[in-house]
């Protein structure tokens, strides 16, 4: 009888701890596996399935076990808020933040330290970027960093 696959949240906890112990930045890991940094963080926090070759590289790099590799490869379960499901555009923003929010938080803390992005002194912009595969919607959130002061 085989053991059940490790929950993605458990694998994410092991990855975060190993990354910190080894003094690696998320960008170091992304560069080594040849993937965009925000995608890498989101995937390693359990929001995307990781291709087997990249999962193996991460696990070897961090000195973790095969159970983490199996967990990373699995398709995640993404749960949406029912209230966000009423409008397709609003839902996509909700989905994007559900998937990438934890990764963006990690990257903000890594780059700026302990604090938050303010939504009070905040700018937002929407623009169109032409692309051969279909125009792209570019949304920019521009918030002031507020460090925690104890």
């Amino acid at each position: 009888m085989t053991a059940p696959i490790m929950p993605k949240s458990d694998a994410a906890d092991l990855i975060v701890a190993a990354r910190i112990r080894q003094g690696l930045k998320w960008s170091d890991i992304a560069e080594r596996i040849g993937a965009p940094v925000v995608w890498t963080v989101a995937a390693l926090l359990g929001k995307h399935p990781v291709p087997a070759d990249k999962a193996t590289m991460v696990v070897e790099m961090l000195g973790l076990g095969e159970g983490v590799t199996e967990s990373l490869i699995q398709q995640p379960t993404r749960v949406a808020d029912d209230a966000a499901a009423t409008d397709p555009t609003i839902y996509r923003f909700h989905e994007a933040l559900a998937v990438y929010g934890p990764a963006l938080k990690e990257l903000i803390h890594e780059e700026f330290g302990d604090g938050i992005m303010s939504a009070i002194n905040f700018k937002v912009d929407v623009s169109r970027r032409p692309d051969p595969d279909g125009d792209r919607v570019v949304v920019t959130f521009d918030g002031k960093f507020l460090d925690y002061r104890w």
Side-chain angles (χ1 to χ4, degrees), residues 52-129:
D53 61 327
K54 292 185 186 318
T56 299
M57 284 191 277
V58 167
V59 167
E60 288 175 358
M61 178 189 328
L62 297 176
L64 299 171
E66 188 177 310
V68 175
T69 305
E70 292 173 345
S71 179
L72 288 173
I73 293 169
Q74 295 301 307
Q75 179 69 34
T77 300
R78 299 178 186 125
V79 180
D81 179 355
D82 290 337
T86 59
D87 180 87
T89 302
I90 293 170
Y91 172 76
R92 292 296 176 239
F93 279 106
H94 178 77
E95 179 183 39
L97 287 174
V99 171
Y100 292 106
L104 293 169
K105 178 183 184 284
E106 284 281 331
L107 293 167
I108 289 169
H109 283 261
E110 184 173 276
E111 179 69 25
F112 294 91
D114 191 14
I116 62 169
M117 178 183 71
S118 173
I120 295 171
N121 183 358
F122 189 76
K123 298 173 188 168
V124 64
D125 186 51
V126 177
S127 61
R128 176 189 301 248
R129 182 171 44 90

Side-chain angles (χ1 to χ4, degrees), residues 1-5:
M1 179 178 227
T2 60
I5 292 176

